[in-house]
Amino acid sequence: GRLPGVRYVDRGRAQLKGIAGPVRIVRVLPEDVPSQASIFMFFSRQKNLGWPVGLAVVLIAAATAAAVVYLTSGSQGEPGEAANDGGSAAEAPVSDVAALIPSDLREDCVEQPAPDLGALETAVCLPREGAEVGFSPDRWQVSIYADAADMNEAYEAERARHEIEANQGECTGLSWGGEGPWVHGPDRPGGRNLCYFDGNDAVIVWTHARLGQATDRDILAIAREGGSDHARLAAWWDVQHHLIGLME
């Protein structure tokens, strides 16, 4: 579970005595407050530990943080200054995820009180009731990361979680199930994407890598559409994944 005032830092995996296979270690910290808080471990392989135990651990961490008050700030990052020649776009902000969502989609999105694990910020987007302007997935979200290493780690965790082989299959209106790179155009890499069915939902996960471009930031996004309607989801993604993660 997620609580206001608490953030989670992924500390990788470790092999612990008496437990078969590596376990994931998560550090629980007060939001936006430097601290030497304890490291708590959630044992993903222990079948007798469910979400109530995990939530209890987070509650203990929150109490240890001495009642830290979570303050939601607007834009935490500031765009960089444009180049002196006046022709270059402003640099993408370090942590303002909303600035990396196209303006025609932004009104459907709100910042999540606590970002996804390893992310700086996460925005969740739901279609507005009565504001049907073209197709939009039932739910999608965008997370911004400090660098490519954190972004790729989150992506690989998603791939491993759903046991999807790398560089296999396709994510198109005709075929749904696979993983691989995507490009902006010839000799212009963009990121990676994977797709799968989750019950009755079609789901796509993708990265938009900065790759040294001032107007881009390292983001990971996830979109899902009910009714297994991967054809409409693929058509939406074909356009928007070039834009989400890029300053307008």
Side-chain angles (χ1 to χ4, degrees):
R2 296 197 175 277
L3 293 174
V6 177
R7 63 187 176 94
Y8 313 98
V9 180
D10 191 351
R11 301 306 297 264
R13 295 179 180 272
Q15 189 71 46
L16 301 182
K17 184 177 179 180
I19 299 177
V23 297
R24 192 174 193 179
I25 300 174
V26 177
R27 187 176 187 182
V28 182
L29 294 170
E31 185 73 39
D32 295 331
V33 177
S35 173
Q36 296 299 319
S38 300
I39 296 176
F40 296 91
M41 288 173 283
F42 299 86
F43 301 91
S44 58
R45 303 241 176 186
Q46 290 275 69
K47 293 185 178 180
N48 62 329
L49 291 179
W51 68 265
V53 176
L55 182 57
V57 172
V58 173
L59 288 171
I60 293 171
T64 305
V68 175
V69 178
Y70 176 78
L71 298 176
T72 303
S73 59
S75 171
Q76 296 180 4
E78 295 182 4
E81 294 180 359
N84 292 333
D85 62 9
S88 300
E91 183 175 358
V94 174
S95 62
D96 186 2
V97 68
L100 302 176
I101 300 174
S103 56
D104 60 332
L105 303 177
R106 198 176 301 152
E107 291 185 21
D108 293 341
C109 306
V110 295
E111 186 179 336
Q112 197 168 265
D116 280 4
L117 191 63
L120 298 175
E121 290 184 1
T122 298
V124 177
C125 310
L126 301 172
R128 288 166 292 155
E129 187 175 349
E132 188 75 22
V133 181
F135 170 77
S136 183
D138 288 340
R139 175 188 171 94
W140 59 284
Q141 67 178 66
V142 186
S143 294
I144 187 172
Y145 293 83
D147 52 39
D150 288 349
M151 176 194 70
N152 290 330
E153 183 177 355
Y155 179 80
E156 286 301 317
E158 286 291 321
R159 187 174 71 83
R161 184 177 298 118
H162 300 288
E163 300 180 341
I164 298 175
E165 290 188 40
N167 300 305
Q168 299 287 332
E170 291 183 318
C171 300
T172 69
L174 299 177
S175 178
W176 198 256
E179 193 278 341
W182 65 267
V183 297
H184 287 291
D187 300 320
R188 289 196 62 202
R192 299 191 71 86
N193 67 286
L194 63 87
C195 59
Y196 58 92
F197 286 108
D198 180 17
N200 197 42
D201 286 353
V203 183
I204 188 164
V205 181
W206 74 95
T207 64
H208 184 131
R210 191 179 197 203
L211 300 174
Q213 301 171 103
T215 56
D216 296 34
R217 281 287 169 186
D218 295 305
I219 65 103
L220 181 143
I222 305 173
R224 62 173 57 231
E225 176 66 13
S228 300
D229 195 351
H230 63 91
R232 294 185 76 189
L233 184 56
W236 177 86
W237 180 81
D238 282 345
V239 175
Q240 301 300 346
H241 76 284
H242 291 281
L243 305 175
I244 299 170
L246 169 69
M247 281 281 289
E248 289 185 309

